[in-house]
Amino acid sequence: MRDDPADPYTNGTSSYWHLSGPSPELLEALDAGWLRPDMRVLDLGCGLATESAYLRERGFTVVGIDQSEAALHQARMLHPEIEVIADDVRDLPFEPASFDYLLDRGCFHYLASVDRPAYAREAAHVLRSGGELLLRACLHAHGIRNDITQDSIRELFADWRVLMLEQRSIPSDTRTMEALVVRLAKG
Ligand SMILES: C[S@@+](CC[C@H](N)C(=O)[O-])C[C@H]1O[C@@H](n2cnc3c(N)ncnc32)[C@H](O)[C@@H]1O
């Protein structure tokens, strides 16, 4: 595999967001019972599959998807038991209603605004009716404010039920990030 210098997993940028353990919002979802081990989960923009691996250890069936070959190469070394797929969240390679729960720790906000409707459409396509999406959308990338607000989230996911939409300070291994934590139900 060739290193792509623009890939955050080869140029070191990934250290900004990487968290070695499960995220606070994932732990909250498990504690609250929003996520249960009988669910089939898709980890959107799984990166090194840290969240996927945590869920898999707890009996979940998890699939990770990410566009970064470098990330997935590392994910397969770290967690060979996890199924990870190299593909684009804007065009998901799954049948309709294949998943009960979608998890996104930090992928959505990397998309350009123009691409976010495709993300919402694809998420709705692969999620069963009544299934949920737990989304963390960071408010800054590379120190620059993202064009993400509570209103833009509500507008984009207008067909979904908003179960939670809160701004929080969330730790990574190297910093604390301001983000919207969003819990959405399909239909
Ligand atoms: C902030 S990182 C988070 C990674 C992982 N969820 C974590 O918490 O460590 C965002 C991830 O989204 C992936 N990503 C960005 N745009 C994507 C796209 N269009 N399709 C698939 N993955 C994408 C990146 O490669 C990166 O791994």
Side-chain angles (χ1 to χ4, degrees):
M1 188 191 61
R2 277 250 196 84
D3 280 354
D4 172 1
D7 188 312
Y9 288 92
T10 55
N11 66 22
T13 310
S14 63
S15 67
Y16 295 144
W17 64 64
H18 183 60
L19 183 61
S20 312
S23 61
E25 64 267 29
L26 178 60
L27 294 176
E28 178 185 13
L30 290 167
D31 279 352
W34 304 337
L35 264 167
R36 297 182 312 275
D38 60 336
M39 291 176 167
R40 184 170 151 81
V41 180
L42 178 62
D43 187 355
L44 295 159
C46 64
L48 304 187
T50 313
E51 305 268 84
S52 298
Y54 188 81
L55 289 175
R56 164 86 191 215
E57 281 166 17
R58 279 148 192 81
F60 287 82
T61 304
V62 192
V63 178
I65 188 161
D66 203 287
Q67 68 180 5
S68 165
E69 291 284 359
L72 296 186
H73 178 71
Q74 291 180 54
R76 290 183 183 114
M77 304 279 282
L78 290 165
H79 309 292
E81 72 285 4
I82 307 286
E83 182 186 355
V84 289
I85 296 171
D87 218 319
D88 195 317
V89 296
R90 295 168 298 178
D91 188 13
L92 290 171
F94 304 109
E95 295 295 316
S98 319
F99 294 94
D100 303 298
Y101 209 94
L102 307 180
L103 193 62
D104 178 342
R105 176 169 96 174
C107 176
F108 172 81
H109 67 260
Y110 273 94
L111 301 177
S113 309
V114 69
D115 289 329
R116 290 184 187 140
Y119 173 103
R121 182 197 65 226
E122 290 294 288
H125 181 69
V126 302
L127 190 61
R128 71 161 164 81
S129 181
E132 294 185 16
L133 164 63
L134 184 62
L135 169 66
R136 175 205 293 190
C138 291
L139 297 180
H140 300 88
H142 309 298
I144 298 167
R145 170 88 204 196
N146 282 326
D147 53 352
I148 291 175
T149 62
Q150 298 203 9
D151 284 347
S152 69
I153 295 281
R154 287 184 193 282
E155 191 179 331
L156 186 65
F157 293 98
D159 296 339
W160 300 56
R161 277 181 298 130
V162 179
L163 304 177
M164 186 177 82
L165 178 47
E166 294 177 6
Q167 183 169 336
R168 296 187 185 170
S169 303
I170 300 181
S172 75
D173 285 353
T174 57
R175 59 185 61 196
T176 298
M177 299 168 293
E178 284 300 304
L180 296 180
V181 178
V182 192
R183 183 180 165 222
L184 299 154
K186 177 184 162 182

